[in-house]
Amino acid sequence: MKKTLLTTGLVGILMVGAAAPAIAFEDTASTPLPGTGAKVEANAWQCSTYFDKCSFKTSTKALKGSAKYKVSKITNTATVKANGWQATLSLSPSGTQVSENTRQVSWTNKNTWISDISGIADPGGSLNTSVTTCSDGGAFTAGVKAFASACAND
């Protein structure tokens, strides 16, 4: 009986630890999608504290109220930048190198409501390096389009 209680207690402790909210930097911005009553929303999220690598997520969503709004085409571009003196950046997924300290990753979906990207940024080159993650997105449907941008930084 003691073994069962100890195991149950340990599982309870692990579950509570896993459920704790992560601290992060995030930003959201939106723009109306003309003539539809919907909006295009860009979201950027990144870790707030890191010792080596920093996770990031970006998305572009088409929403009508809080409901998903299907569009013909929806795109998202994540731009991740390492800030600081002689800062460098490597990224997973690798994306396109914009400069020594900036990378971009893009994704496009058709006939849906969301396009999202996630990955790991590995900044280097300076003791005072920080990371900025931006999300640029657009939605296209029935001859109209709209774009939104959001940036999260520490």
XYZ file of all heavy atoms in Angstrom, residues 34-114:
618
model
N -11.192 42.794 -45.522
C -12.287 43.596 -46.090
C -13.461 42.790 -46.643
O -13.268 41.786 -47.328
C -11.600 44.384 -47.218
C -10.166 44.439 -46.821
C -9.898 43.146 -46.110
N -14.666 43.252 -46.304
C -15.893 42.683 -46.842
C -16.296 41.327 -46.308
O -17.256 40.736 -46.795
N -15.579 40.796 -45.322
C -15.868 39.453 -44.820
C -16.369 39.428 -43.382
O -16.921 38.426 -42.950
C -14.611 38.568 -44.888
O -13.624 39.101 -43.985
C -14.044 38.486 -46.293
N -16.113 40.496 -42.640
C -16.419 40.482 -41.210
C -15.382 39.714 -40.408
O -15.509 39.555 -39.205
N -14.356 39.229 -41.084
C -13.294 38.462 -40.431
C -12.065 39.342 -40.245
O -12.016 40.478 -40.726
C -12.948 37.233 -41.263
N -11.072 38.800 -39.560
C -9.801 39.510 -39.366
C -8.645 38.543 -39.567
O -8.798 37.325 -39.451
C -9.735 40.121 -37.967
C -9.688 39.094 -36.848
C -9.629 39.732 -35.479
C -9.636 38.658 -34.387
N -9.608 39.230 -33.053
N -7.490 39.117 -39.877
C -6.237 38.377 -39.952
C -5.468 38.721 -38.687
O -5.283 39.897 -38.367
C -5.422 38.777 -41.200
C -4.087 38.060 -41.212
C -6.211 38.488 -42.448
N -5.030 37.702 -37.972
C -4.329 37.908 -36.697
C -2.941 37.299 -36.773
O -2.785 36.141 -37.153
C -5.134 37.254 -35.575
C -4.520 37.395 -34.203
C -5.351 36.704 -33.154
O -6.327 37.319 -32.680
O -5.038 35.538 -32.827
N -1.927 38.084 -36.427
C -0.547 37.598 -36.356
C -0.171 37.448 -34.889
O -0.495 38.306 -34.060
C 0.405 38.575 -37.034
N 0.499 36.348 -34.561
C 0.932 36.066 -33.194
C 2.405 35.698 -33.186
O 2.860 34.924 -34.037
C 0.136 34.885 -32.622
C -1.343 35.157 -32.610
O -1.824 35.907 -31.789
N -2.059 34.565 -33.553
N 3.145 36.240 -32.223
C 4.556 35.898 -32.040
C 4.770 35.550 -30.574
O 4.272 36.251 -29.685
C 5.452 37.064 -32.439
N 5.490 34.478 -30.309
C 5.759 34.013 -28.950
C 7.191 33.532 -28.889
O 7.696 32.920 -29.830
C 4.815 32.854 -28.617
C 5.059 32.216 -27.300
C 4.439 32.508 -26.124
C 5.995 31.167 -27.002
N 4.929 31.697 -25.123
C 5.890 30.867 -25.641
C 6.917 30.463 -27.764
C 6.657 29.897 -25.021
C 7.700 29.491 -27.140
C 7.553 29.219 -25.788
N 7.862 33.797 -27.778
C 9.202 33.251 -27.555
C 9.451 33.118 -26.071
O 8.774 33.737 -25.249
C 10.275 34.133 -28.181
C 10.451 35.452 -27.473
C 11.550 36.297 -28.088
O 11.661 36.382 -29.297
N 12.352 36.917 -27.254
N 10.441 32.300 -25.739
C 10.795 32.120 -24.332
C 11.279 33.452 -23.754
O 11.729 34.334 -24.484
C 11.884 31.068 -24.195
S 13.455 31.545 -24.930
N 11.165 33.600 -22.462
C 11.619 34.843 -21.841
C 12.978 34.678 -21.174
O 13.715 35.640 -21.039
C 10.604 35.325 -20.805
O 10.477 34.352 -19.785
N 13.303 33.477 -20.765
C 14.566 33.225 -20.090
C 15.213 32.000 -20.716
O 14.543 31.001 -20.940
C 14.333 32.942 -18.592
O 13.597 34.022 -18.041
C 15.637 32.797 -17.858
N 16.483 32.106 -21.028
C 17.183 30.959 -21.595
C 18.659 31.071 -21.274
O 19.184 32.145 -21.030
C 16.966 30.865 -23.107
C 17.423 32.098 -23.861
C 18.700 32.184 -24.386
C 16.574 33.185 -24.023
C 19.124 33.311 -25.056
C 16.992 34.309 -24.697
C 18.261 34.371 -25.211
O 18.682 35.488 -25.860
N 19.332 29.919 -21.251
C 20.768 29.882 -21.016
C 21.529 29.563 -22.295
O 22.667 29.956 -22.452
C 21.098 28.849 -19.931
C 20.541 29.216 -18.597
C 19.411 28.582 -18.110
C 21.108 30.230 -17.848
C 18.880 28.936 -16.891
C 20.575 30.596 -16.622
C 19.463 29.940 -16.151
N 20.877 28.863 -23.208
C 21.553 28.438 -24.422
C 20.664 28.664 -25.642
O 21.021 29.389 -26.543
C 21.939 26.963 -24.302
C 22.755 26.462 -25.477
O 23.369 27.288 -26.165
O 22.773 25.242 -25.707
N 19.486 28.077 -25.647
C 18.581 28.155 -26.782
C 17.222 28.688 -26.335
O 16.873 28.581 -25.171
C 18.428 26.778 -27.419
C 19.722 26.264 -28.031
C 19.547 24.838 -28.523
C 20.781 24.295 -29.183
N 21.956 24.216 -28.374
N 16.480 29.243 -27.289
C 15.184 29.849 -26.990
C 14.148 29.333 -27.987
O 14.366 29.411 -29.198
C 15.311 31.372 -27.104
S 13.795 32.277 -26.763
N 13.048 28.796 -27.508
C 12.001 28.331 -28.413
C 11.157 29.517 -28.882
O 11.056 30.535 -28.203
C 11.116 27.293 -27.723
O 10.553 27.834 -26.561
N 10.569 29.373 -30.073
C 9.711 30.424 -30.610
C 8.549 29.796 -31.361
O 8.625 28.643 -31.809
C 10.490 31.364 -31.547
C 10.907 30.721 -32.840
C 10.086 30.801 -33.965
C 12.097 30.032 -32.942
C 10.459 30.190 -35.156
C 12.485 29.431 -34.134
C 11.659 29.519 -35.246
N 7.455 30.549 -31.487
C 6.284 30.124 -32.258
C 5.680 31.366 -32.895
O 5.652 32.432 -32.278
C 5.228 29.480 -31.369
C 5.656 28.194 -30.721
C 4.555 27.647 -29.835
C 5.056 26.442 -29.076
N 4.051 25.910 -28.159
N 5.215 31.230 -34.127
C 4.485 32.315 -34.779
C 3.274 31.710 -35.477
O 3.264 30.520 -35.814
C 5.342 33.063 -35.817
O 5.701 32.154 -36.866
C 6.591 33.657 -35.194
N 2.268 32.541 -35.691
C 1.108 32.062 -36.446
C 0.398 33.229 -37.101
O 0.509 34.376 -36.670
C 0.135 31.311 -35.537
O -0.469 32.190 -34.612
N -0.315 32.901 -38.163
C -1.268 33.804 -38.786
C -2.592 33.056 -38.777
O -2.646 31.889 -39.177
C -0.884 34.144 -40.237
O 0.429 34.711 -40.239
C -1.859 35.128 -40.845
N -3.637 33.719 -38.291
C -4.952 33.095 -38.197
C -5.987 33.978 -38.869
O -5.885 35.199 -38.821
C -5.360 32.908 -36.739
C -4.422 32.025 -35.946
C -4.840 31.973 -34.487
C -3.877 31.125 -33.681
N -4.238 31.108 -32.259
N -6.985 33.357 -39.466
C -8.153 34.069 -39.974
C -9.305 33.724 -39.033
O -9.618 32.547 -38.831
C -8.467 33.651 -41.401
N -9.883 34.754 -38.441
C -10.934 34.558 -37.435
C -12.124 35.457 -37.724
O -11.962 36.602 -38.156
C -10.395 34.877 -36.038
C -9.183 34.075 -35.572
C -8.576 34.711 -34.327
C -9.589 32.638 -35.297
N -13.310 34.942 -37.448
C -14.530 35.745 -37.508
C -15.119 35.664 -36.117
O -15.638 34.618 -35.716
C -15.490 35.200 -38.559
C -16.632 36.150 -38.871
C -17.351 35.707 -40.128
C -18.333 36.776 -40.553
N -18.923 36.451 -41.876
N -14.961 36.763 -35.359
C -15.229 36.695 -33.925
C -14.131 35.839 -33.324
O -12.959 36.074 -33.542
N -14.523 34.784 -32.614
C -13.515 33.858 -32.084
C -13.509 32.547 -32.874
O -12.778 31.625 -32.533
C -13.780 33.593 -30.608
O -15.068 33.018 -30.452
N -14.331 32.474 -33.933
C -14.418 31.251 -34.742
C -13.377 31.244 -35.859
O -12.999 32.292 -36.387
C -15.819 31.136 -35.340
N -12.950 30.061 -36.248
C -12.031 29.884 -37.369
C -12.736 30.327 -38.651
O -13.905 30.015 -38.865
C -11.634 28.416 -37.489
C -10.971 27.875 -36.249
C -10.833 26.359 -36.335
C -10.277 25.798 -35.041
N -10.236 24.334 -35.042
N -12.007 31.044 -39.517
C -12.570 31.522 -40.777
C -11.702 31.001 -41.918
O -10.549 31.410 -42.073
C -12.624 33.054 -40.781
C -13.279 33.630 -42.002
C -14.664 33.628 -42.135
C -12.513 34.174 -43.029
C -15.277 34.159 -43.262
C -13.114 34.711 -44.157
C -14.495 34.701 -44.271
O -15.100 35.228 -45.388
N -12.235 30.092 -42.711
C -11.488 29.465 -43.806
C -11.248 30.462 -44.938
O -12.173 31.131 -45.390
C -12.275 28.261 -44.323
C -11.546 27.432 -45.329
C -12.397 26.203 -45.654
C -11.892 25.465 -46.845
N -12.756 24.317 -47.162
N -9.992 30.555 -45.376
C -9.611 31.441 -46.480
C -8.953 30.612 -47.586
O -8.587 29.462 -47.380
C -8.652 32.564 -46.004
C -9.358 33.512 -45.042
C -7.396 31.991 -45.358
N -8.798 31.228 -48.762
C -8.178 30.532 -49.894
C -6.706 30.237 -49.639
O -6.209 29.162 -49.955
C -8.284 31.376 -51.162
O -9.605 31.725 -51.413
N -6.007 31.223 -49.065
C -4.562 31.091 -48.842
C -4.196 31.901 -47.606
O -4.647 33.035 -47.432
C -3.818 31.614 -50.065
C -2.331 31.480 -50.026
C -1.767 31.911 -51.386
C -0.353 32.369 -51.316
N 0.155 32.819 -52.610
N -3.355 31.316 -46.755
C -2.892 32.016 -45.558
C -1.399 31.743 -45.386
O -0.940 30.614 -45.546
C -3.717 31.617 -44.315
C -3.413 32.538 -43.132
C -3.569 30.145 -43.978
C -4.471 32.523 -42.045
N -0.633 32.798 -45.158
C 0.824 32.682 -45.061
C 1.324 33.202 -43.721
O 0.689 34.043 -43.087
C 1.533 33.485 -46.172
O 1.234 34.869 -45.992
C 1.092 33.048 -47.541
N 2.466 32.678 -43.310
C 3.128 33.163 -42.101
C 4.628 33.151 -42.344
O 5.163 32.181 -42.879
C 2.776 32.291 -40.890
C 3.436 32.785 -39.621
O 4.345 32.157 -39.109
N 2.982 33.908 -39.122
N 5.290 34.246 -41.977
C 6.745 34.320 -42.022
C 7.245 34.663 -40.632
O 6.857 35.680 -40.061
C 7.232 35.384 -43.024
O 6.761 35.031 -44.325
C 8.753 35.470 -43.041
N 8.082 33.790 -40.087
C 8.729 34.032 -38.797
C 10.095 34.639 -39.080
O 10.882 34.074 -39.844
C 8.885 32.741 -38.026
N 10.371 35.801 -38.478
C 11.687 36.414 -38.558
C 12.255 36.424 -37.146
O 11.661 37.004 -36.241
C 11.615 37.856 -39.103
O 10.981 37.834 -40.382
C 13.003 38.463 -39.237
N 13.382 35.747 -36.961
C 14.008 35.644 -35.644
C 15.366 36.323 -35.723
O 16.147 36.062 -36.639
C 14.151 34.181 -35.201
C 14.741 34.090 -33.801
C 12.804 33.463 -35.269
N 15.612 37.210 -34.758
C 16.839 37.997 -34.767
C 17.525 37.920 -33.403
O 16.879 38.041 -32.368
C 16.515 39.458 -35.092
C 17.718 40.363 -35.136
C 17.322 41.779 -35.493
C 18.548 42.675 -35.537
N 18.204 44.065 -35.845
N 18.850 37.721 -33.414
C 19.662 37.806 -32.201
C 20.173 39.236 -32.098
O 20.743 39.763 -33.061
C 20.815 36.817 -32.257
N 19.938 39.866 -30.973
C 20.349 41.257 -30.757
C 21.552 41.299 -29.830
O 21.585 40.580 -28.843
C 19.198 42.038 -30.104
C 17.911 41.884 -30.863
O 17.817 42.248 -32.020
N 16.913 41.303 -30.220
N 22.494 42.147 -30.110
C 23.664 42.291 -29.249
C 24.920 42.463 -30.086
O 24.934 42.201 -31.288
N 25.975 42.900 -29.442
C 27.232 43.147 -30.116
C 27.776 41.843 -30.679
O 27.905 40.848 -29.980
C 28.212 43.781 -29.133
C 29.501 44.176 -29.760
C 29.697 45.183 -30.655
C 30.770 43.570 -29.551
N 31.016 45.243 -31.020
C 31.707 44.260 -30.345
C 31.219 42.527 -28.776
C 33.045 43.926 -30.385
C 32.554 42.195 -28.814
C 33.462 42.898 -29.610
N 28.066 41.806 -31.954
C 28.565 40.638 -32.683
C 27.671 39.410 -32.513
O 28.146 38.279 -32.462
C 30.003 40.319 -32.263
C 30.988 41.387 -32.663
C 32.419 41.008 -32.328
O 32.673 40.208 -31.440
N 33.355 41.593 -33.054
N 26.366 39.647 -32.403
C 25.421 38.547 -32.225
C 25.337 37.687 -33.483
O 25.444 38.187 -34.599
C 24.041 39.093 -31.886
N 25.180 36.396 -33.285
C 24.964 35.452 -34.371
C 23.711 34.643 -34.035
O 23.237 34.661 -32.895
C 26.157 34.502 -34.558
O 26.340 33.759 -33.349
C 27.426 35.274 -34.910
N 23.202 33.929 -35.032
C 21.995 33.155 -34.800
C 21.977 31.925 -35.688
O 22.259 32.006 -36.886
C 20.748 34.004 -35.112
C 19.402 33.314 -34.945
C 19.100 33.083 -33.460
C 18.305 34.142 -35.580
N 21.683 30.802 -35.086
C 21.346 29.618 -35.875
C 19.927 29.238 -35.474
O 19.475 29.567 -34.375
C 22.335 28.472 -35.644
O 22.349 28.098 -34.295
N 19.226 28.601 -36.390
C 17.801 28.373 -36.201
C 17.447 26.951 -36.629
O 18.031 26.410 -37.559
C 17.037 29.370 -37.078
C 15.623 29.733 -36.735
C 15.558 30.455 -35.395
C 15.063 30.653 -37.814
N 16.502 26.372 -35.944
C 15.936 25.098 -36.353
C 14.428 25.257 -36.374
O 13.848 25.581 -35.339
C 16.328 24.009 -35.363
O 15.701 22.810 -35.700
N 13.756 25.164 -37.511
C 14.287 24.859 -38.838
C 15.192 25.973 -39.342
O 15.034 27.126 -38.938
C 13.033 24.729 -39.696
C 12.009 25.555 -39.015
C 12.332 25.479 -37.551
N 16.135 25.640 -40.223
C 17.189 26.576 -40.600
C 16.687 27.836 -41.291
O 17.213 28.908 -41.074
C 18.228 25.892 -41.472
O 17.632 25.396 -42.647
N 15.691 27.747 -42.145
C 15.148 28.930 -42.799
C 16.133 29.594 -43.735
O 17.144 29.035 -44.123
N 15.837 30.836 -44.079
C 16.654 31.633 -44.981
C 17.499 32.606 -44.162
O 16.976 33.297 -43.293
C 15.757 32.434 -45.949
O 14.945 31.511 -46.673
C 16.575 33.267 -46.907
N 18.790 32.670 -44.451
C 19.665 33.605 -43.746
C 19.469 34.997 -44.339
O 19.713 35.228 -45.511
C 21.125 33.182 -43.871
C 22.052 34.106 -43.118
C 23.492 33.615 -43.129
O 23.790 32.516 -43.571
N 24.375 34.445 -42.620
N 19.012 35.935 -43.495
C 18.852 37.326 -43.899
C 20.157 38.070 -43.642
O 20.600 38.877 -44.430
C 17.681 37.979 -43.133
C 17.566 39.452 -43.450
C 16.383 37.252 -43.451
N 20.770 37.782 -42.493
C 22.072 38.333 -42.119
C 22.691 37.376 -41.110
O 22.102 36.342 -40.781
C 21.919 39.740 -41.514
O 21.237 39.671 -40.280
N 23.853 37.722 -40.599
C 24.543 36.865 -39.624
C 23.689 36.622 -38.379
O 23.764 35.566 -37.766
C 25.877 37.514 -39.220
C 26.786 36.623 -38.411
C 27.308 35.407 -39.183
O 27.389 35.467 -40.422
O 27.630 34.402 -38.535
N 22.828 37.585 -38.038
C 22.050 37.468 -36.809
C 20.537 37.360 -37.038
O 19.759 37.455 -36.104
C 22.344 38.651 -35.889
C 21.875 39.973 -36.462
O 21.833 40.159 -37.672
N 21.520 40.894 -35.583
N 20.101 37.140 -38.287
C 18.665 37.097 -38.581
C 18.349 35.951 -39.547
O 19.033 35.769 -40.544
C 18.193 38.426 -39.200
O 18.553 39.495 -38.330
C 16.693 38.442 -39.394
N 17.287 35.211 -39.230
C 16.812 34.117 -40.084
C 15.303 34.264 -40.286
O 14.599 34.781 -39.416
C 17.065 32.750 -39.453
C 18.509 32.449 -39.125
C 19.307 32.110 -40.371
N 20.648 31.666 -40.080
C 21.679 32.452 -39.860
N 21.524 33.752 -39.863
N 22.873 31.962 -39.624
N 14.808 33.773 -41.428
C 13.373 33.774 -41.709
C 12.923 32.380 -42.136
O 13.647 31.680 -42.842
C 13.023 34.737 -42.841
C 13.024 36.179 -42.430
C 12.548 37.091 -43.549
O 12.714 36.797 -44.722
N 11.950 38.197 -43.174
N 11.709 32.019 -41.695
C 11.078 30.770 -42.089
C 9.656 31.113 -42.509
O 8.961 31.856 -41.803
C 11.044 29.756 -40.927
C 10.380 28.458 -41.359
C 12.440 29.499 -40.387
N 9.209 30.600 -43.659
C 7.862 30.893 -44.161
C 7.060 29.616 -44.353
O 7.625 28.555 -44.648
C 7.940 31.627 -45.499
O 8.534 32.882 -45.334
N 5.740 29.754 -44.213
C 4.845 28.636 -44.441
C 3.548 29.158 -45.024
O 3.040 30.185 -44.582
C 4.572 27.901 -43.125
C 3.853 26.616 -43.330
C 2.531 26.360 -43.087
C 4.406 25.397 -43.820
N 2.229 25.065 -43.400
C 3.373 24.445 -43.862
C 5.674 25.022 -44.252
C 3.557 23.138 -44.301
C 5.862 23.728 -44.679
C 4.822 22.807 -44.693
N 3.004 28.457 -46.016
C 1.734 28.824 -46.639
C 0.801 27.621 -46.632
O 1.227 26.503 -46.938
C 1.952 29.283 -48.095
O 2.799 30.438 -48.089
C 0.636 29.639 -48.768
N -0.451 27.862 -46.276
C -1.494 26.836 -46.324
C -2.617 27.316 -47.217
O -2.855 28.523 -47.326
C -2.053 26.551 -44.925
C -1.154 25.656 -44.108
O -0.442 24.817 -44.643
N -1.194 25.823 -42.799
N -3.346 26.374 -47.819
C -4.487 26.719 -48.673
C -5.756 26.100 -48.105
O -5.722 25.005 -47.531
C -4.257 26.230 -50.100
C -3.122 26.964 -50.791
C -2.946 26.502 -52.219
C -1.818 27.302 -52.862
N -1.592 26.915 -54.245
N -6.870 26.828 -48.295
C -8.200 26.366 -47.888
C -8.276 25.973 -46.415
O -8.805 24.922 -46.066
C -8.659 25.210 -48.780
C -8.745 25.639 -50.217
O -9.270 26.700 -50.520
N -8.207 24.826 -51.107
N -7.754 26.835 -45.575
C -7.817 26.616 -44.133
C -7.783 27.967 -43.429
O -7.876 29.013 -44.060
C -6.674 25.692 -43.655
O -6.916 25.311 -42.296
C -5.312 26.342 -43.796
N -7.624 27.985 -42.127
C -7.715 29.217 -41.343
C -6.408 29.605 -40.650
O -6.319 30.674 -40.064
C -8.817 29.070 -40.292
C -8.436 28.086 -39.210
C -8.452 26.727 -39.290
C -7.943 28.386 -37.913
N -7.996 26.167 -38.124
C -7.685 27.163 -37.251
C -7.694 29.576 -37.237
C -7.198 27.097 -35.957
C -7.212 29.501 -35.932
C -6.973 28.273 -35.315
N -5.372 28.750 -40.701
C -4.154 29.014 -39.928
C -2.892 28.589 -40.687
O -2.921 27.644 -41.474
C -4.196 28.289 -38.553
C -3.060 28.731 -37.643
C -4.223 26.775 -38.758
C -3.195 28.246 -36.203
